[in-house]
Amino acid sequence: MNTMELIAPCHFGLEAVLKREITDLGYDISEVDDGRVTFIGDAEAVARINIWSRTAERVLIKVGAFEAFSWDDLFEGTKALPWENYIPSDGRFWVTKASSIKSKLFSPSDIQSIMKKAMVERMKQTYHVERFEETGTDYPVRTFIYKDKVTVGLDTTGDSLHKRGYRLLTAKAPIAENLAAALIMLTPWRADRILIDPFCGSGTFPIEAALMAAGIAPGLNREFRACEWEHIVAGRIWKDAYDEARESVNMDVETDIQGYDIDDEVIAVARQNARLAGVENLIHFQRRDVSELSHPGRYGFIITNPPYGERLMDESELGELYEKLGRQFASLRDFSMYMITAYEGAERAIGRRADKNRKIYNGMLQTRFYSFMGPKPPKRRQENI
């Protein structure tokens, strides 16, 4: 099967997590940039990464790259790309998004317009027509320009990969599903360990953890744009990829995953989302204030997205809330805590400096992912057979 370069965008600061995920799925990385990972794959990789990636935003087929210092450069560079290899004569094509950083060309709308005209000119020469009706399948294009280098990709995904299909209802300021999954993957948590989110909101952290525990691919119950591109990714390839994902599900796994929130209505939303995700039996949701956070077990994990300044609380309320969290965390035996927040007083209020903190962009908001590490559990003895 022919290989190609594929591009997977992700949240800034989480490139290493996505790189490891793609490598674990069996594909070679060719380049890592801020906010995206490029790798080598084939048509099967398009299907498998879309279905299996927990951390990517989408999967793009790299059509080409070139330098552009002027609008003429952009037009000619776009026109030189082999669009006919991807888009049929009745295809509907457009530049759905253009971004530009540290480059001479910076107007997204102008970039989109000029690239569309260049694509039309190339297609007119290839298909020997003067007008495209564009009545067929959609072929959206995405463009990144960084330091005058233009990278062009064909979007195989459609709706972003963070849209798993289970979160029809949300609480205030929900964390994106793929960001939550990536943050869990930054911790040592595994399915046989305790996980508690004391500010669970819509239930995203517990649900993503339960999907991991049960081996449920995040894209198992949705479709993707390239499902309609038979000439690029054949239907049998999609069928095989979905079959592989279905065979990997293990609903018999035993878990101790808990989600708490102070609001009964929010807990009802979380339970409904868990039902839609098919993991309601793997999670215990309960109305509980953070001051009531407790667990009889040891070596567990708190992984959470507590309220912060952008989430409708003033400074004094935030300080008191984080102090409560810090007291309860200290009372839990041998627990570790991982927390994403933009609240600058978090460590002071928790009462302890984090062992690690990582800068993460949650949308356009810069946050920190704090790691307060507890002791490792003793290694289990392996019985002689």
Side-chain angles (χ1 to χ4, degrees), residues 6 129 219 257 277 280 289 294 321 337 360:
L6 301 169
V129 297
I257 300 172
E280 69 272 26
D289 186 82
S294 63
L321 187 73
M337 181 165 70
I360 303 286

Short mmCIF file of all heavy atoms in Angstrom, two decimals, residues 6 129 219 257 277 280 289 294 321 337 360:
data_model
loop_
_atom_site.label_atom_id
_atom_site.label_comp_id
_atom_site.label_asym_id
_atom_site.label_seq_id
_atom_site.Cartn_x
_atom_site.Cartn_y
_atom_site.Cartn_z
N LEU A 6 1.35 12.21 6.71
CA LEU A 6 0.12 12.60 7.37
C LEU A 6 0.45 13.57 8.49
O LEU A 6 1.50 13.47 9.12
CB LEU A 6 -0.61 11.38 7.92
CG LEU A 6 -0.98 10.31 6.88
CD1 LEU A 6 -1.46 9.04 7.57
CD2 LEU A 6 -2.05 10.83 5.93
N VAL A 129 -12.03 21.61 -18.07
CA VAL A 129 -13.33 22.27 -17.92
C VAL A 129 -13.09 23.72 -17.52
O VAL A 129 -12.02 24.07 -17.00
CB VAL A 129 -14.22 21.57 -16.87
CG1 VAL A 129 -14.54 20.14 -17.30
CG2 VAL A 129 -13.56 21.58 -15.50
N GLY A 219 -12.96 7.05 18.53
CA GLY A 219 -13.71 7.30 17.30
C GLY A 219 -14.55 6.13 16.84
O GLY A 219 -15.04 6.12 15.71
N ILE A 257 -13.16 4.35 39.30
CA ILE A 257 -13.14 5.70 38.71
C ILE A 257 -14.32 6.47 39.28
O ILE A 257 -15.46 6.01 39.18
CB ILE A 257 -13.22 5.64 37.18
CG1 ILE A 257 -12.04 4.86 36.61
CG2 ILE A 257 -13.25 7.05 36.59
CD1 ILE A 257 -12.14 4.59 35.11
N ALA A 277 -21.49 7.29 26.22
CA ALA A 277 -20.17 6.74 25.90
C ALA A 277 -20.10 5.24 26.13
O ALA A 277 -19.12 4.60 25.73
CB ALA A 277 -19.10 7.44 26.75
N GLU A 280 -21.07 3.83 31.61
CA GLU A 280 -21.71 4.22 32.87
C GLU A 280 -21.46 3.22 33.98
O GLU A 280 -21.41 3.59 35.16
CB GLU A 280 -23.21 4.43 32.67
CG GLU A 280 -24.03 3.18 32.38
CD GLU A 280 -24.10 2.83 30.92
OE1 GLU A 280 -23.18 3.20 30.15
OE2 GLU A 280 -25.08 2.17 30.53
N ASP A 289 -19.18 17.79 47.84
CA ASP A 289 -18.34 18.98 47.91
C ASP A 289 -16.88 18.57 48.03
O ASP A 289 -16.57 17.49 48.56
CB ASP A 289 -18.75 19.83 49.12
CG ASP A 289 -18.00 21.16 49.16
OD1 ASP A 289 -18.43 22.09 48.46
OD2 ASP A 289 -16.98 21.25 49.89
N SER A 294 -12.71 12.04 49.84
CA SER A 294 -12.06 11.00 50.64
C SER A 294 -12.09 9.69 49.87
O SER A 294 -12.85 9.53 48.92
CB SER A 294 -12.77 10.82 51.99
OG SER A 294 -14.10 10.37 51.79
N LEU A 321 -11.29 27.65 47.77
CA LEU A 321 -11.58 26.36 47.13
C LEU A 321 -10.31 25.51 47.01
O LEU A 321 -10.32 24.31 47.32
CB LEU A 321 -12.18 26.61 45.74
CG LEU A 321 -12.68 25.37 45.01
CD1 LEU A 321 -13.97 24.87 45.64
CD2 LEU A 321 -12.92 25.68 43.53
N MET A 337 -1.69 13.87 42.81
CA MET A 337 -2.70 14.77 42.24
C MET A 337 -2.14 15.47 41.00
O MET A 337 -1.01 15.97 41.01
CB MET A 337 -3.16 15.82 43.25
CG MET A 337 -4.23 16.76 42.70
SD MET A 337 -5.10 17.72 43.97
CE MET A 337 -3.79 18.84 44.50
N ILE A 360 0.46 24.35 29.23
CA ILE A 360 -0.50 23.78 28.29
C ILE A 360 -1.44 24.88 27.83
O ILE A 360 -1.89 25.69 28.65
CB ILE A 360 -1.34 22.65 28.95
CG1 ILE A 360 -0.45 21.54 29.51
CG2 ILE A 360 -2.37 22.10 27.97
CD1 ILE A 360 0.17 20.66 28.48
#
